[in-house]
Amino acid sequence: MMDHATSVPVCVFLLLLPSSLVALDNRDFKHDFEYHHEGSGERFRVKGHGRLADIVIVDDIPQITKILCEGNVVLIATTDVTISATWRPSQVIVGGPDWGCSSEVDGRVQHGLYRKIKSVNQGKRTVEIMTENAGLYDSFETAQLHVHHTPGNWSSREERENDIKSRQKREASSDSDVGSRLWPLLLSYGDESLFTIPFNYDTSKDKEVLQFSVSSQGVEIKAGGFTAGFAPQHDAKKTWELGCTSCYAFFRAGFTMELNIGPDNTRFLLQLSGEFKFNTDVGLSWSRERNLGNKTFTLAKKELKIPSIPILYFPNPLVPTMELGIDLLAELLVQVGAKVEGKMLATAGFDYNKKLTVTFKKENNGPFTMFTGLTDEPWTGHTPTFSMQAKFSANAALVPKITLTPTISFGWKVRFVGSNLYLFSLNFGAPVAFSLNAGITFEVAYDSAQRTFCLDLYHQGDIAIEANKVTSDIVVFGETVASSNILKYKKKLSISLWPRTSFTCTALVKCCVVACVGLPKLPQLSMDQTVGAMKKKITRADVDFQSLKQMKGTDVLFVAEEKTASYCGVPSRKCKDCTRGVIGWTTDDKCADRMMTGDLLEKLEVLSKFVRITWPKRKLRVEEAWDEPTSAYQNGRHGASSVHYEGRAADLTVTSEMTADQLKNTPKDAPASDKSSTIMVRLAQLARCSDLPFVDQKSDYVEVAVKKSATSPVKRTRFDRQIKRATDIQLGYCVSISKLQLGKSNPSTGTPEFVCGEINDRITRYDPQAFLRLYQYPFNDVEFENKRRNDAWCGATSRECIDCRTKIQGESAYDRCADRMMTPRLAYRVRRLGSLVTQKWVDRKLKVIGAWDEPTSSSTNQWGSYGAQSLHYEGRAAQVSLTGSSPNSLMGDLSQLAVCAGFDYVRYTTNNYIDVFVQQESHTKGIVVPFLKANLLAVDPPPHSINYGYPENLRTELFKTLLFDGSHRSQLKLSDNFVLGEFKHPEARYLRLDDKLVACLQNIRTALGKSLKIVKGSAYRPRSENIVDIDERHPEEIDRFQSGQAAEIQMATGTSGPKEITNLGQEAMKQCASMLSVTRRGLGIGIHADRLYIDIRPNTIAEQALYIRVWDTVNSSTNASVMNDLLVTKDQLERGGPEINPVDPEAACEEPVLGKENYHINIPMSNARSDCASETSSDFCKQTQTYRETVLERIKKHFQKKTGDKVVRSSTFVSALTTCLKDACGHCLGSGPTWEKKVKSCVKMLNYHRTSGAWNNITEKMSFFNLDSPKSSVRALACKDYVCLEKTDLYGLFARILSEKYRPAKNSSVEELVYGPGDNPLPIMDLAEQTFAISASGIARVFIEKDSDVSALWKVLKILFVYNKEIADVEFHLTADVNKNKLVETIQRKSEVWAGTGCPKWSRAAITPFKMVEISKGRLKRALPEHESIPRSFQHHLHQWELDWIHKT
């Protein structure tokens, strides 16, 4: 059985047809069996004729005793070699598996002999045959085989059986041997289920077997079914759910197989054909924003087997029947995926019947080819419903999958072995997975220009075939089947859509609905309270009347002015009929209801688009706008005071449905209003969607109003200051810049879009969020051509064009002039260029031909006068020239000044003008963020997109990352080893990125000295990608991908196992934590099985300099050790002193003289003394030999008494002890081979003692003091409540060893030390103290009696501060004689030195933290001196041998 393939290319039904036929006297065959019933349509036929090849069957040759197969050589042992006399090349030689041979037949290994002879060589008792692979066609000289079956539509199974039995009886006398086998087989085909392949389908009830749902919680079978269909609903426990009320399919299949073999032509064909029925009704629900990658669930499985069909039959028992067999596995899979930006509910369904044919063919030596056919019967869509709060894209697909294993088997009898009969059978065929992917896809996108949700609903799918788990090209019979023949289909449906109110769409392409999401409630305040009260009534005679705008065109309909009134405005003025459009532009001709402020006109233009989208056969109708007195209403229709009199309010309705002719040609009288309540409710919603600040739904109209138009520009305080200073640029700055030649650009390579970034979205004046980001150039130092000022309309058919050549006309969206609109970055550089122009030519100015652009009556396309993707539509491009006569010859000079002015791309386009372009930049302020190797310019997120927004959970943090445009900048180096593309998500244009994250990763890379890689797509993730499988991630790893403060890293080469993850984590802490602490920020580390998560986060613990958070996402036993190691490092860094980071890592990490395991030991080791170069035994060593042996035996007995036989039986321990105390004897201290041997053996002995567990119970109680002080006042404190080295048996033992004496002369009373510093120095006590220090854990207590004790204890302190990773704190206990401040300063100074010289391979992450405890006089007095366990006379040489050595040398 094959694995399911979600999107598999077209493959092939593999029917591999080799053979292994036997040599016979009569090798011809011929048979023809046919059954056809006209009434039901069932047809079954098996037909074949041909001649078998001449085949050698070794099983039937008794003279053969043994066969050996080795590669292409077959060696046969025989009692008579003449049996091979007739064997010749091209024959097929066949034998059963009993000979122990295997053969490769059409790419498959068979247990048995099936080879083609190339040559035959006879020996005395053997025959050697050179062979080659044999295939299907080698078994035949000629063959034509045909098998076909078409299931019938019988009224009953009994009727079919009676017909077949009757036919069988009539034709019994003429039946061939094949027929005698096929009649019973045909009877068994009466079970319809043999050829009806079900997918959750009950054939008896013609419906589904099970109803089910799949969700974020898994698959749930609805045993009792859904009571009234699956009604999707939001469930807090389920992020998403797909319920299937009726999902099933079946395939009623027939098949045809043909095989033709001839001397000059071979042909194989297999065809599967039949009816495919499919039905699905699904419901989808998403309870929150999520991005769910396509997930596949298996819902049902069923295995089927079509009885084997004899297709070639010989009566001779030596040649059994060749049979065709097909095994089937039917599976029903469901796929679901979505990108959802909010809650969503949807239901949909469809059904269809189709005829499907799949054909596989191979001719001669050509490749396998595949043909697919799917009839185009119509789909029947079931009425869908939707409820959504944001844009989404979702798909749900039911995938019926058939896995076929077709085989052709052909075998023969072999000789008996005992009483068993072995049949060697060659089976040819391979599993083939065939699936029909039929799904429903919902795609809802937000059109920012139209401010609408547009939905595509369609069914689509493909036919996919998978063989041997190959999902691209399929290899069959050693040939490749191209994967280009995938049959795909896609059908659009007419649907009904309910986003919040009823909405019907008849278009097959897409359906759109106005984005009324999160609407404000209907007004709680009055009109005057909301938009401001009227200040004065505007009349036609007022100068303010000229500031009102007259709406043009017929997209919005207006009623005729008071038809029954005798005058309008003043008694002398007749009322006008402006139903069909503007009558004129004089004060008298202007129609009252078409008059309004620019802001209101702009909002009504947007609203009219929404009305057309919502009701394609209706138009917005204005009942009243600006109001004036008439004969019917001498004080105006709206009472004494209303903002209608200022042109800031309008009364609106919607027309009744209009004919196509009426929509195209406005009738003389405006169609009547539809004042139904549902229309009014929806119109009020659309008005609020249009950003009208006041909307009031009346019973038969909707009243709207706007605030007074802006009279001052949008405040950009920082930018306003910058652009005023733009003129400070001096012409001298430009001298070194070269002029451009015609057709050339700066930069010289790339397009404006490549250098500055492509257009993100066209900005329109009807999208205030985007439009207000643009800057209206207010200065007169530049001339604007404004060539479209005389066009019939600008921006929209309702808007007149504005003349802004000399000045701006206003700050409202309506009043702003297109050519003066540009991004602040472009405006700043335009002003700089204008200043340079006036400095170079006193009689000329810079002339702007065009900047931001919009459609006008003279536009060359629907967007404006530039190409569809021009940067002009974002205000990031301008065409500029010069004023004055004959400017053409000066364009080269102008290009030089443009480059100097700082445009990001300058092109000398023609002799008439040059083009200038800029990158995106934050519209409020230009911020450049410095990274290690490059600077990035901050940009604003695209309007209306939440995809690049800042994570909600992080918005209160003080430090926030900025957004950058990553377009065409993937290879930009941000540091020595990292480029921008490694941080940018492959599916996103923009990215957020913390410069400290880049610095952190670079520090890790540098410290490791090895290549480090960021897991692809694991750094910055836009919102849509960050929510992919977000519920499955660790809670700490939710938000910082989206803020650009996190990444997942691995080693670039080799594996990233526990060791590598530990190293990465430790280096991350060492290299990044202190760097981040400067800005009060911390580090987050997440442990994964094969990668490490790293993020930059705020330091939330005010009193803690370093802040590190570590967590384990796997929680496995393997990761437990990683977690423990990282927690230890974390604790050391957070609580400790300086990080251990050597100035010279190579020198600091040189191989220790005593080996890596003894990195902490510090002891003199040199070869400086020439008298210590040899190991010659001195007279002293000879004299003390027996004494040293006595000491050794005494020590052994001591250890045996204390620890039993375990230690003294250890050869490692005994050997080290023997060398340390006995064999290594010599006077050299700190130098020479004898000293080195002595030190190494003593260290090995002490390490064995330490690791044996002798000190396990005291490691947390260990204390230290200056053992060199014979009368130490702190000795009692250190050794009474805690465990000092003196208190251990080992110390007492070694002290007695060091006090051992001998008499050089028998008759003399003079005694000398056996291990004296002058004759045989022993470093055992110094090594024991260092070993004691490395064994400590927890809090290490150090007692200081006087200031000089610190110097005496420096080796111990270095181990406690640098090397012992188990120490949590060093606690200094000080007497009153110690200068505390001086001691703190000394320890800090030593810590800094040690931190810069220690090796991180073996040291702690940071210097151990310490604190000071002052010993009170009372405590010191109460501490009674302990019994001295060793004579004080030994104190001199126990620790002073180094001093003695220095004196001697």
Side-chain angles (χ1 to χ4, degrees):
M1 187 185 75
M2 302 302 297
D3 293 336
H4 172 65
T6 57
S7 180
V8 187
V10 173
C11 314
V12 151
F13 287 104
L14 301 174
L15 236 157
L16 305 177
L17 300 173
S19 68
S20 53
L21 305 180
V22 286
L24 302 170
D25 293 335
N26 181 9
R27 293 183 279 122
D28 296 321
F29 62 89
K30 182 177 181 180
H31 51 263
D32 189 356
F33 176 88
E34 182 175 12
Y35 172 75
H36 180 215
H37 187 270
E38 292 185 359
S40 68
E42 181 173 6
R43 182 184 293 273
F44 182 68
R45 188 173 191 184
V46 177
K47 180 181 180 180
H49 63 86
R51 181 178 176 81
L52 299 177
D54 187 8
I55 298 176
V56 177
I57 304 176
V58 297
D59 296 322
D60 294 326
I61 304 175
Q63 292 89 341
I64 296 176
T65 59
K66 190 175 182 181
I67 298 178
L68 177 66
C69 299
E70 190 70 37
N72 292 329
V73 179
V74 177
L75 188 62
I76 298 177
T78 175
T79 58
D80 181 5
V81 295
T82 62
I83 61 171
S84 63
T86 59
W87 300 354
R88 64 185 184 281
S90 77
Q91 279 186 296
V92 174
I93 182 170
V94 173
D98 213 31
W99 298 109
C101 294
S102 297
S103 303
E104 183 178 330
V105 185
D106 290 321
R108 301 182 68 191
V109 176
Q110 303 282 347
H111 296 294
L113 177 61
Y114 185 80
R115 308 281 296 172
K116 188 160 64 174
I117 298 174
K118 292 180 66 176
S119 64
V120 180
N121 299 308
Q122 292 183 358
K124 292 183 178 180
R125 294 185 179 181
T126 60
V127 179
E128 184 183 71
I129 306 173
M130 296 300 295
T131 66
E132 60 184 343
N133 290 344
L136 163 67
Y137 302 151
D138 297 311
S139 296
F140 299 90
E141 286 185 8
T142 62
Q144 290 188 3
L145 301 174
H146 174 89
V147 181
H148 174 80
H149 179 255
T150 301
N153 295 315
W154 291 89
S155 58
S156 70
R157 181 171 182 177
E158 183 180 359
E159 177 189 354
R160 182 180 184 277
E161 289 180 355
N162 291 337
D163 183 75
I164 292 175
K165 288 177 180 179
S166 174
R167 288 279 297 275
Q168 181 181 14
K169 187 175 182 181
R170 290 198 308 269
E171 300 178 14
S173 59
S174 61
D175 270 348
S176 65
D177 292 317
V178 174
S180 65
R181 294 280 304 277
L182 291 177
W183 285 114
L185 176 70
L186 192 56
L187 277 173
S188 70
Y189 282 7
D191 184 358
E192 186 183 358
S193 64
L194 287 174
F195 299 100
T196 300
I197 304 170
F199 304 92
N200 194 38
Y201 176 66
D202 186 334
T203 55
S204 63
K205 298 180 180 179
D206 190 27
K207 63 175 294 186
E208 71 281 349
V209 176
L210 296 171
Q211 296 180 333
F212 56 85
S213 72
V214 294
S215 70
S216 53
Q217 304 296 314
V219 179
E220 181 181 357
I221 302 298
K222 302 291 186 180
F226 299 100
T227 56
F230 177 76
Q233 57 185 352
H234 297 306
D235 185 342
K237 296 180 180 179
K238 297 176 181 178
T239 304
W240 61 269
E241 183 174 19
L242 179 148
C244 207
T245 307
S246 180
C247 295
Y248 65 85
F250 68 81
F251 182 39
R252 185 173 286 111
F255 60 87
T256 300
M257 187 216 76
E258 293 181 0
L259 177 62
N260 297 323
I261 302 173
D264 301 318
N265 180 59
T266 58
R267 180 176 183 270
F268 168 75
L269 179 144
L270 176 66
Q271 186 177 83
L272 197 70
S273 60
E275 176 191 13
F276 211 107
K277 182 175 181 180
F278 195 102
N279 186 88
T280 178
D281 283 290
V282 298
L284 283 170
S285 72
W286 254 258
S287 60
R288 60 184 74 97
E289 178 189 20
R290 284 295 180 268
N291 185 340
L292 177 70
N294 279 334
K295 290 186 176 293
T296 301
F297 301 86
T298 300
L299 301 174
K301 288 185 180 182
K302 186 171 184 179
E303 294 182 358
L304 302 97
K305 184 177 181 65
I306 298 177
S308 297
I309 305 168
I311 58 175
L312 181 62
Y313 184 78
F314 282 86
N316 190 315
L318 290 176
V319 187
T321 304
M322 179 183 284
E323 295 183 337
L324 168 66
I326 301 178
D327 293 339
L328 296 165
L329 174 66
E331 299 175 87
L332 183 61
L333 313 175
V334 63
Q335 294 175 348
V336 60
K339 287 186 178 180
V340 179
E341 292 188 0
K343 290 185 177 182
M344 182 273 286
L345 301 174
T347 65
F350 64 94
D351 62 78
Y352 63 87
N353 290 325
K354 290 185 177 291
K355 292 180 180 178
L356 174 68
T357 302
V358 183
T359 305
F360 307 93
K361 185 173 70 172
K362 175 180 173 67
E363 294 194 44
N364 299 324
N365 294 321
F368 254 89
T369 56
M370 184 193 70
F371 306 92
T372 53
L374 189 68
T375 56
D376 197 24
E377 285 90 349
W379 305 66
T380 302
H382 305 169
T383 302
T385 63
F386 295 85
S387 175
M388 57 195 178
Q389 294 185 1
K391 66 180 180 180
F392 69 88
S393 173
N395 62 80
L398 273 294
V399 185
K401 178 180 177 182
I402 306 169
T403 302
L404 301 95
T405 308
T407 61
I408 287 186
S409 60
F410 186 71
W412 52 92
K413 289 185 178 179
V414 298
R415 60 182 175 174
F416 288 95
V417 180
S419 59
N420 297 321
L421 177 67
Y422 287 83
L423 182 68
F424 170 40
S425 177
L426 292 177
N427 291 316
F428 299 90
V432 178
F434 162 85
S435 60
L436 176 62
N437 183 323
I440 306 174
T441 298
F442 317 89
E443 290 185 353
V444 175
Y446 182 71
D447 185 333
S448 61
Q450 300 293 335
R451 283 194 283 180
T452 56
F453 281 129
C454 292
L455 176 129
D456 283 339
L457 171 67
Y458 53 85
H459 302 315
Q460 67 173 359
D462 58 61
I463 293 174
I465 295 173
E466 176 186 9
N468 293 329
K469 298 185 179 179
V470 179
T471 57
S472 55
D473 290 343
I474 310 305
V475 178
V476 183
F477 281 129
E479 302 291 346
T480 299
V481 181
S483 61
S484 59
N485 292 324
I486 298 180
L487 175 62
K488 289 185 175 291
Y489 55 88
K490 182 172 179 177
K491 296 288 183 181
K492 297 282 187 176
L493 291 186
S494 173
I495 64 168
S496 295
L497 174 68
W498 291 267
R500 286 205 175 192
T501 182
S502 179
F503 175 69
T504 302
C505 176
T506 58
L508 294 180
V509 178
K510 66 170 55 177
C511 304
C512 295
V513 61
V514 178
C516 292
V517 175
L519 293 175
K521 294 181 179 180
L522 287 172
Q524 303 297 315
L525 301 175
S526 68
M527 181 188 295
D528 288 353
Q529 289 174 319
T530 304
V531 300
M534 181 194 82
K535 289 193 174 180
K536 75 167 185 176
K537 286 185 177 181
I538 296 176
T539 68
R540 291 179 185 270
D542 290 335
V543 68
D544 292 335
F545 181 76
Q546 303 306 318
S547 67
L548 298 181
K549 314 301 178 185
Q550 184 174 207
M551 180 175 272
K552 303 176 63 175
T554 58
D555 289 341
V556 178
L557 298 186
F558 295 82
V559 298
E561 288 185 294
E562 311 294 342
K563 290 184 179 180
T564 60
S566 59
Y567 71 87
C568 291
V570 294
S572 60
R573 180 182 177 273
K574 293 183 179 180
C575 298
K576 309 290 184 179
D577 184 356
C578 57
T579 303
R580 290 188 171 184
V582 171
I583 298 174
W585 294 95
T586 67
T587 300
D588 188 65
D589 286 338
K590 290 180 179 179
C591 183
D593 288 329
R594 285 183 177 267
M595 301 303 294
M596 58 195 75
T597 64
D599 283 345
L600 181 58
L601 189 150
E602 172 209 343
K603 299 292 191 293
L604 294 188
E605 174 63 29
V606 174
L607 178 57
S608 72
K609 292 181 180 180
F610 291 170
V611 168
R612 291 197 300 274
I613 291 170
T614 307
W615 300 290
K617 295 182 180 181
R618 301 173 187 265
K619 287 188 177 183
L620 179 65
R621 175 172 151 146
V622 176
E623 304 291 337
E624 286 280 343
W626 175 70
D627 195 15
E628 63 180 342
T630 68
S631 59
Y633 299 94
Q634 295 183 5
N635 291 319
R637 185 184 291 265
H638 295 86
S641 176
S642 171
V643 295
H644 283 79
Y645 301 124
E646 292 180 331
R648 294 195 286 125
D651 301 335
L652 310 174
T653 61
V654 174
T655 68
S656 56
E657 288 196 355
M658 302 168 66
T659 65
D661 182 65
Q662 287 177 320
L663 290 169
K664 184 177 181 181
N665 302 302
T666 303
K668 181 178 180 181
D669 295 321
S673 298
D674 185 340
K675 299 180 180 180
S676 61
S677 60
T678 55
I679 295 291
M680 291 299 104
V681 168
R682 184 60 176 159
L683 180 59
Q685 289 178 337
L686 297 179
R688 283 178 284 158
C689 285
S690 305
D691 296 324
L692 282 155
F694 177 82
V695 179
D696 189 9
Q697 179 191 330
K698 307 293 186 179
S699 60
D700 56 353
Y701 69 95
V702 173
E703 187 176 43
V704 299
V706 297
K707 297 179 180 180
K708 291 186 177 181
S709 299
T711 57
S712 58
V714 177
K715 288 186 177 181
R716 295 179 173 89
T717 306
R718 179 176 176 179
F719 178 73
D720 290 339
R721 290 197 301 266
Q722 287 178 339
I723 199 166
K724 287 178 181 179
R725 295 195 301 268
T727 56
D728 294 343
I729 187 170
Q730 299 299 313
L731 187 61
Y733 299 163
C734 310
V735 175
S736 61
I737 298 174
S738 301
K739 300 177 184 179
L740 295 181
Q741 299 299 313
L742 180 63
K744 300 299 182 180
S745 65
N746 186 325
S748 59
T749 59
T751 64
E753 291 75 21
F754 183 88
V755 174
C756 301
E758 292 94 343
I759 184 174
N760 185 70
D761 201 3
R762 298 180 195 89
I763 295 175
T764 74
R765 66 175 69 242
Y766 302 106
D767 182 3
Q769 182 178 343
F771 190 64
L772 289 177
R773 289 185 178 183
L774 299 180
Y775 179 79
Q776 185 174 209
Y777 195 89
F779 307 105
N780 293 324
D781 52 358
V782 173
E783 184 176 298
F784 290 85
E785 189 173 82
N786 197 203
K787 59 185 176 182
R788 295 184 182 87
R789 63 188 181 277
N790 295 321
D791 282 4
W793 54 266
C794 291
T797 57
S798 61
R799 181 180 177 273
E800 61 183 304
C801 299
I802 293 175
D803 184 355
C804 62
R805 288 174 296 172
T806 59
K807 64 177 182 179
I808 62 175
Q809 297 298 319
E811 288 296 335
S812 70
Y814 181 95
D815 290 328
R816 293 188 177 197
C817 179
D819 288 337
R820 285 182 178 265
M821 300 304 296
M822 56 193 76
T823 63
R825 184 175 180 86
L826 182 63
Y828 181 80
R829 282 149 182 79
V830 165
R831 188 152 206 232
R832 283 165 65 94
L833 180 57
S835 176
L836 291 172
V837 166
T838 55
Q839 291 178 54
K840 188 173 183 67
W841 300 289
V842 295
D843 58 342
R844 296 182 186 272
K845 278 187 177 183
L846 179 69
K847 179 170 67 176
V848 176
I849 299 172
W852 174 74
D853 196 30
E854 63 182 340
T856 71
S857 58
S858 65
S859 293
T860 56
N861 58 56
Q862 67 187 81
W863 305 288
S865 299
Y866 302 94
Q869 300 302 315
S870 172
L871 300 185
H872 283 273
Y873 300 121
E874 279 189 337
R876 295 197 285 126
Q879 286 182 348
V880 296
S881 185
L882 296 170
T883 62
S885 60
S886 304
N888 296 3
S889 61
L890 303 176
M891 289 302 102
D893 297 88
L894 182 61
S895 69
Q896 177 192 36
L897 301 183
V899 173
C900 184
F903 292 99
D904 299 307
Y905 189 93
V906 178
R907 183 173 60 203
Y908 185 172
T909 310
T910 74
N911 283 326
N912 297 320
Y913 61 84
I914 67 171
D915 286 298
V916 292
F917 307 86
V918 295
Q919 300 176 33
Q920 291 190 44
E921 182 182 70
S922 174
H923 75 287
T924 55
K925 49 189 177 181
I927 299 177
V928 175
V929 178
F931 287 79
L932 296 175
K933 289 287 184 179
N935 297 330
L936 293 182
L937 184 64
V939 301
D940 287 321
H944 312 292
S945 174
I946 64 172
N947 205 28
Y948 295 104
Y950 211 75
E952 293 180 6
N953 294 332
L954 307 183
R955 289 178 184 175
T956 59
E957 292 182 356
L958 182 62
F959 182 89
K960 298 182 182 66
T961 55
L962 300 175
L963 190 71
F964 308 108
D965 187 357
S967 179
H968 305 299
R969 310 190 76 185
S970 292
Q971 297 306 311
L972 179 67
K973 289 191 72 171
L974 299 180
S975 69
D976 287 336
N977 298 102
F978 294 101
V979 296
L980 184 143
E982 295 177 87
F983 297 92
K984 186 176 78 71
H985 194 279
E987 300 298 323
R989 169 176 174 171
Y990 301 95
L991 75 157
R992 291 184 183 275
L993 186 57
D994 195 321
D995 60 305
K996 291 297 188 291
L997 177 64
V998 178
C1000 172
L1001 296 183
Q1002 183 59 53
N1003 288 351
I1004 298 171
R1005 166 68 177 82
T1006 303
L1008 289 173
K1010 298 178 181 178
S1011 295
L1012 187 70
K1013 73 174 181 181
I1014 300 171
V1015 178
K1016 187 176 180 180
S1018 77
Y1020 172 72
R1021 301 176 188 177
R1023 186 184 182 106
S1024 60
E1025 297 299 329
N1026 190 49
I1027 58 178
V1028 174
D1029 300 328
I1030 195 170
D1031 297 319
E1032 300 172 14
R1033 299 210 300 266
H1034 191 279
E1036 294 282 356
E1037 299 178 13
I1038 298 298
D1039 295 310
R1040 298 200 183 273
F1041 290 119
Q1042 189 180 340
S1043 66
Q1045 296 173 304
E1048 293 175 346
I1049 58 174
Q1050 294 174 321
M1051 301 306 298
T1053 57
T1055 59
S1056 290
K1059 180 180 178 181
E1060 290 75 18
I1061 299 300
T1062 301
N1063 289 341
L1064 285 174
Q1066 290 176 334
E1067 286 301 331
M1069 295 186 207
K1070 295 176 184 178
Q1071 303 302 325
C1072 306
S1074 61
M1075 172 192 73
L1076 295 170
S1077 67
V1078 177
T1079 55
R1080 293 299 301 164
R1081 302 171 74 191
L1083 186 70
I1085 294 179
I1087 304 168
H1088 293 253
D1090 63 343
R1091 63 190 65 186
L1092 192 77
Y1093 167 95
I1094 291 180
D1095 73 33
I1096 310 298
R1097 54 181 55 205
N1099 183 345
T1100 57
I1101 304 178
E1103 67 275 10
Q1104 186 168 297
L1106 297 185
Y1107 177 71
I1108 304 171
R1109 176 92 168 84
V1110 183
W1111 59 89
D1112 184 3
T1113 66
V1114 182
N1115 295 319
S1116 66
S1117 57
T1118 304
N1119 271 30
S1121 62
V1122 179
M1123 181 70 174
N1124 182 66
D1125 290 343
L1126 294 189
L1127 287 177
V1128 169
T1129 303
K1130 168 184 178 295
D1131 184 68
Q1132 292 174 6
L1133 287 169
E1134 287 184 343
R1135 301 179 63 254
E1139 295 174 29
I1140 297 177
N1141 193 4
V1143 176
D1144 186 349
E1146 186 175 349
C1149 296
E1150 285 183 353
E1151 185 78 13
V1153 177
L1154 296 176
K1156 295 179 181 178
E1157 66 278 7
N1158 297 307
Y1159 56 83
H1160 57 284
I1161 297 294
N1162 192 305
I1163 197 142
M1165 297 280 280
S1166 75
N1167 294 311
R1169 292 176 58 182
S1170 58
D1171 61 326
C1172 296
S1174 71
E1175 291 190 76
T1176 305
S1177 179
S1178 64
D1179 292 338
F1180 173 84
C1181 292
K1182 293 176 181 177
Q1183 289 178 355
T1184 59
Q1185 173 75 20
T1186 56
Y1187 289 93
R1188 297 198 309 277
E1189 290 175 351
T1190 301
V1191 170
L1192 176 64
E1193 292 304 316
R1194 188 188 311 143
I1195 296 299
K1196 286 182 182 179
K1197 289 180 181 179
H1198 173 85
F1199 276 111
Q1200 187 173 22
K1201 179 180 178 181
K1202 291 291 184 181
T1203 63
D1205 294 336
K1206 178 181 177 181
V1207 173
V1208 295
R1209 286 183 178 178
S1210 168
S1211 59
T1212 302
F1213 177 78
V1214 172
S1215 174
L1217 187 65
T1218 301
T1219 304
C1220 175
L1221 298 181
K1222 182 175 78 72
D1223 296 343
C1225 177
H1227 71 283
C1228 290
L1229 188 153
S1231 184
T1234 300
W1235 173 256
E1236 183 175 343
K1237 185 184 297 183
K1238 190 184 299 184
V1239 169
K1240 288 183 177 180
S1241 61
C1242 291
V1243 167
K1244 185 179 291 186
M1245 181 267 295
L1246 286 167
N1247 283 342
Y1248 188 90
H1249 178 269
R1250 179 169 70 94
T1251 56
S1252 68
W1255 290 339
N1256 283 357
N1257 296 328
I1258 63 172
T1259 57
E1260 295 184 356
K1261 301 177 182 178
M1262 290 180 172
S1263 63
F1264 305 86
F1265 69 100
N1266 182 10
L1267 295 172
D1268 297 339
S1269 178
K1271 297 181 180 180
S1272 173
S1273 62
V1274 296
R1275 178 176 178 273
L1277 290 174
C1279 300
K1280 182 178 181 181
D1281 297 328
Y1282 309 106
V1283 179
C1284 63
L1285 181 61
E1286 277 192 10
K1287 205 171 181 179
T1288 64
D1289 290 335
L1290 192 68
Y1291 183 89
L1293 183 65
F1294 290 157
R1296 287 179 173 80
I1297 290 173
L1298 294 174
S1299 67
E1300 284 291 331
K1301 295 181 179 180
Y1302 81 104
R1303 291 183 179 183
K1306 292 182 179 180
N1307 298 325
S1308 173
S1309 61
V1310 177
E1311 292 182 324
E1312 294 185 13
L1313 294 171
V1314 175
Y1315 299 100
D1319 297 315
N1320 186 21
L1322 189 65
I1324 191 71
M1325 199 59 75
D1326 187 24
L1327 294 173
E1329 191 170 18
Q1330 293 185 59
T1331 304
F1332 195 65
I1334 200 67
S1335 303
S1337 65
I1339 298 175
R1341 297 162 180 87
V1342 180
F1343 289 80
I1344 304 296
E1345 182 182 20
K1346 50 191 176 182
D1347 294 339
S1348 60
D1349 285 354
V1350 175
S1351 298
L1353 289 169
W1354 77 269
K1355 292 182 182 179
V1356 168
L1357 294 178
K1358 186 172 184 179
I1359 291 174
L1360 297 179
F1361 276 96
V1362 180
Y1363 295 117
N1364 191 330
K1365 300 178 182 179
E1366 304 300 321
I1367 296 295
D1369 281 293
V1370 175
E1371 192 175 87
F1372 287 95
H1373 293 253
L1374 317 178
T1375 65
D1377 296 332
V1378 177
N1379 186 323
K1380 179 180 177 181
N1381 293 333
K1382 183 179 178 181
L1383 177 61
V1384 170
E1385 183 181 341
T1386 300
I1387 297 299
Q1388 288 177 341
R1389 188 169 59 251
K1390 285 184 177 292
S1391 296
E1392 291 171 1
V1393 173
W1394 291 337
T1397 56
C1399 176
K1401 290 182 181 178
W1402 307 306
S1403 72
R1404 300 166 54 91
I1407 297 297
T1408 308
F1410 68 92
K1411 59 183 178 181
M1412 302 291 176
V1413 177
E1414 295 181 1
I1415 303 173
S1416 65
K1417 292 183 179 180
R1419 179 186 170 198
L1420 192 63
K1421 186 176 181 180
R1422 289 193 299 272
L1424 299 175
E1426 289 188 338
H1427 173 71
E1428 292 187 359
S1429 58
I1430 58 171
R1432 283 295 173 184
S1433 60
F1434 306 142
Q1435 292 294 331
H1436 171 74
H1437 61 263
L1438 291 186
H1439 284 272
Q1440 291 298 318
W1441 55 271
E1442 287 184 77
L1443 186 61
D1444 293 339
W1445 172 60
I1446 291 172
H1447 290 161
K1448 290 181 69 174
T1449 56

